[in-house]
Amino acid sequence: MSAARSDQPPRAWQRMLSGRRLDILDPSPMDVEIEDIAHGLARVARWNGQCQGPVAFNVAHHCVVVEGICAMLKPAWPAKWRLAALLHDAPEYVIGDMISPFKAALGEQYKRVERGLEQAIHLRFALPPVLPATIEQTIKRADRICAYHEAIQIAGFTEEEARKIFGAPRGIAPLVIDPLDAEASQALYLDRFATIFRDHGHE
């Protein structure tokens, strides 16, 4: 097989297990499949893999927990916003879960790629490409609450460290997080998606 010509632009797409070829720099909603998202997220570790115990806490499980926190914070939310919460880290099935300090160091180019993927995912599942600010704020609040509990229970932070970085959680009862393996997390994510997306279709 001959090597790729040096004057050709670098490959910007990734082949998914579904057979889709997703262009990372110019993603099409038609190339987004929930099975690919669930498979990828269930195999991406939170905290760069610096997780206590035999099983690394993965992004698919994290997203299910965050959606559950949103349901506690906003019990009257319609299904579309619960779906947005479940998908809040979906771009990471392509670009991985980078810790916040590294995202900040990468700057605007990283954010541009992340936003493009997020918008394609939202359009694929009948969500607005850009969420209303109030919805985004609630999801971020739930994300911080989850991160606080993960930090203490999974990532080795003290309570004082977690409070300084993520703030003390308010508005919900304390969480106990029991990490699931990749297969169980993938199944949990797909099951939650199926339930919410069915409700979303009836709104």
Side-chain angles (χ1 to χ4, degrees), residues 57 59-89 138-147 150 172 175 188-197 199:
F57 188 59
V59 177
H61 191 179
H62 162 82
C63 289
V64 173
V65 176
V66 169
E67 187 273 323
I69 295 171
C70 285
M72 288 186 275
L73 295 173
K74 299 289 184 180
W77 256 14
K80 64 180 177 179
W81 303 140
R82 290 187 283 121
L83 180 61
L86 186 69
L87 294 169
H88 80 278
D89 277 341
T138 298
I139 294 172
K140 287 182 177 179
R141 179 185 171 195
D143 198 24
R144 287 195 302 272
I145 291 172
C146 189
E150 290 176 32
I172 67 166
L175 300 175
L188 179 67
Y189 189 93
L190 287 172
D191 182 69
R192 192 69 193 126
F193 173 86
T195 298
I196 300 173
F197 195 62
D199 293 344

Side-chain angles (χ1 to χ4, degrees), residues 4 37-38 40 54 58 71 86 92 104 108 145 150 158 173 176 190 196 201-202:
I37 292 173
N58 63 63
L86 186 69
E92 294 178 7
E108 183 55 34
I145 291 172
E150 290 176 32
T158 66
V176 176
L190 287 172
I196 300 173
H202 294 156

Side-chain angles (χ1 to χ4, degrees), residues 4 8-16 20-28 31 93-95 109 113 116-117:
Q8 293 294 315
R11 178 171 65 89
W13 56 266
Q14 178 179 348
R15 186 192 185 282
M16 301 298 170
R20 296 289 189 182
R21 290 188 178 189
L22 182 68
D23 188 322
I24 297 170
L25 301 181
D26 186 21
S28 167
D31 291 325
Y93 89 108
V94 178
I95 56 179
Q109 187 165 356
V113 172
L117 289 164

Side-chain angles (χ1 to χ4, degrees), residues 30-53:
M30 298 302 294
D31 291 325
V32 174
E33 300 291 350
I34 192 60
E35 291 80 9
D36 292 330
I37 292 173
H39 184 94
L41 295 185
R43 288 156 179 80
V44 175
R46 294 273 290 169
W47 307 97
N48 273 349
Q50 297 300 305
C51 303
Q52 297 173 340

